[in-house]
Amino acid sequence: MIDVDGHNFPNLALMRISSFHKQRGDTVEWWWSDFVHYDIVYMSKIFSDTYTADVPEPLNADRVIKGGTGYCIHLGNDGKEHFDKSKNTELPPEIERCFPDYSIYPQFPFAVSMTSRGCPRGCAFCHVAAKEGRCAKKVADVSDFWCGQKEIKVLDPNITACAEKRDLMQQYIDTRAIIDFTQGLDIRLLNQYDIEDINKMRVGTLHFAWDNPKDDLESKFSDFAKGFRRKSNIGMVYCLTNYNSTMEENLYRIYTLRDMGYDPYVMVYDKPNAPKEVRRLQRWCNNKIIFKSCPKFEDYQT
Ligand code: SF4
């Protein structure tokens, strides 16, 4: 197997592939040398070429199978990334059903889960709707991923939009594990029942997004801050920049969130080509030592 993105985070597809082949009695290992011959090499790439460079296909294999969102995204003439559905390959059902083989990533003590897929939003900069559809649906139970780890990293793109979220939230509560909604909770869809469920959960840092500055989300963030049991460290909020937002709009979101007790975190679309000022904004906001010691971006000198 080749984890093209590096080994910075467990790759769910590869963990399932590993599990499937081990159950069949096959030997599974990371691709490591040109001097070994493999029956199959699986290459998985989650991130686009903007973030992860591809690696050459190995020649020492009977078959090379490539998959993952990273292989379906290409940079269009408009300078934006596009998802090419024709290149999308799903795992065969017999592999998709396999319990992840966590042993291939011994450096990570947590479980990863993907209990729902799809998102109704279809944000233009995001590939989830194109890949998984514009309806968030439950696709698995927590027990399909979790075997007692103390922490679960939830990879669902928008669990808050899922019709079966009550069931899923209860399953996460019942684990008593620390739950990390890595893809963020959709603040626009959080209702009082969601907040009650989250209050029953052991949660680490919560993640939200305020990507579109045209969305007026101040009252939604305020409602959550009031209903959430924790009064500090309420959550980290991703703020997308360099994508149809002015610097004034960027700063409005950052300041508003900070004043409510959230931790704003600047994401930069197409970072390699982003204006210097936007990258400076990211440095200022995301470095929490700088952010605390210099409350106004206007005063930030580099
Ligand atoms: S809400 Fe999140 S997952 Fe859904 S389309 Fe927008 S960025 Fe993607």
Side-chain angles (χ1 to χ4, degrees), residues 11-50:
N11 179 307
L12 196 49
L14 290 177
M15 288 196 290
R16 283 175 155 157
I17 288 166
S18 170
S19 191
F20 172 78
H21 280 286
K22 283 181 180 173
Q23 279 169 27
R24 287 168 30 127
D26 298 332
T27 302
V28 181
E29 65 180 23
W30 295 114
W31 183 94
W32 64 279
S33 164
D34 278 324
F35 301 108
V36 183
H37 189 85
Y38 295 108
D39 300 316
I40 310 176
V41 171
Y42 289 95
M43 299 173 69
S44 179
K45 184 173 187 294
I46 305 296
F47 296 103
S48 70
D49 290 346
T50 309

Side-chain angles (χ1 to χ4, degrees), residues 114-122 128-139 155-162:
M114 175 77 91
T115 44
S116 67
R117 289 193 186 223
C119 176
R121 296 258 173 234
V128 168
K131 183 168 188 272
E132 301 177 3
R134 289 192 72 157
C135 180
K137 287 189 189 144
K138 179 183 167 191
V139 293
L155 305 181
D156 301 33
N158 194 343
I159 193 170
T160 347
C162 178

